[in-house]
Every structure is written in structure tokens, then in C-alpha cells.
Amino acid sequence: MMTLALITLVLHGAIAGLFYTFSMSVMPGLNAIDPAQAEAAMRSINRKILNPWLYIPFMGAPVAALAAGFLAGSPAALWFFLAAGVNFVGSFLVTVAINVPMNNKLDAGSMTYPEYSPRWTGWNTLRAVAGFASVVLVGVGIAYL
């Protein structure tokens, strides 16, 4: 059980760190260059990020938290289930419903980079906050094991 719990913690930390890094460094860096260059760079990033190293923590974190919740005894299970829920709503759903459609609009040329960046970054920052909240919830779950 402890191995699964630690894997869950690492997966949540990885996805939270990814979102944090984008909001705190990648997007400000892109915002500091010519919008046409930033748009081209973001299109490239959006294509290259779709790989197993993204999918493992992105999909794996909530699944691992659910599995840990089902295997853990009370009260640890509650914390793992809460982590899964916060991650699913704040990371997965926001990504699927908001950030990816914005990426697609940028790629299609139906949204300019100056329109895209502040909205995308705001929603991404919410994903980072949800990710770190999930890390804390997993940590509390581990404390109750």
C-alpha cells in the first residue's frame, strides 16, 4: 500500500509541477517575445507535449489516487478519494474543457496569441493550484496509513 501511495504522490507532484512551471516561467517567457514567435513556439510545445511522459502523470494521478482510496483503510481512503476528485475536476476537466480547446483554436489560427495567453495561463494556474492541493491531500492520506 505504501508503494502505491508514494507513486500516487509522485504522479500528483509531477503534474502539479508541470502546470506550475508553465504559469511561472514558460508563459511569461513566451509573453516577453514577439507574439508571432510566441504563437509558433506554443504550437510546437502543444504538439510535442502529447507523449507518454505527459499521459503517465496526467491520467495516472487520479487513477492511482482512486486505487489507493479503494485499498486504504479509513480514514486514509477519504483523503485519497478527495485527491482524485480535486485532480479530476481541477486538472483533467479544466484541461479537456478549456485548455485543450484553446490550444486547438491557437493551432487553427482562430485565436491570436495575445487573446490566448492570459486566458490560458489563468486556467493553467488553476490547474497548478488543484494539482498542489491534490499533493497535499495525498500527503494527508499517507499520514493516515
Side-chain angles (χ1 to χ4, degrees):
M1 180 62 217
M2 184 58 77
T3 300
L4 175 59
L6 292 174
I7 290 169
T8 302
L9 184 66
V10 168
L11 292 172
H12 280 83
I15 202 68
L18 173 70
F19 294 148
Y20 175 80
T21 300
F22 262 87
S23 287
M24 302 313 290
S25 64
V26 174
M27 297 308 288
L30 292 176
N31 292 342
I33 64 174
D34 177 75
Q37 291 176 322
E39 188 171 315
M42 194 64 189
R43 283 183 181 140
S44 180
I45 290 167
N46 286 338
R47 288 182 189 121
K48 294 297 182 181
I49 200 167
L50 300 176
N51 67 73
W53 295 112
L54 168 68
Y55 294 128
I56 291 168
F58 182 69
M59 306 282 256
V63 170
L66 279 175
F70 284 118
L71 295 174
S74 185
L78 173 64
W79 296 100
F80 289 114
F81 288 138
L82 286 171
V86 168
N87 182 287
F88 181 77
V89 172
S91 174
F92 186 84
L93 285 183
V94 169
T95 298
V96 171
I98 299 168
N99 289 86
V100 168
M102 289 177 68
N103 292 347
N104 293 339
K105 286 181 181 180
L106 186 73
D107 193 49
S110 61
M111 178 179 267
T112 66
Y113 187 80
E115 295 170 316
Y116 170 89
S117 179
R119 288 179 52 209
W120 190 94
T121 304
W123 285 104
N124 184 70
T125 301
L126 174 69
R127 296 189 299 175
V129 169
F132 286 120
S134 296
V135 169
V136 170
L137 293 167
V138 170
V140 173
I142 289 171
Y144 281 107
L145 288 178

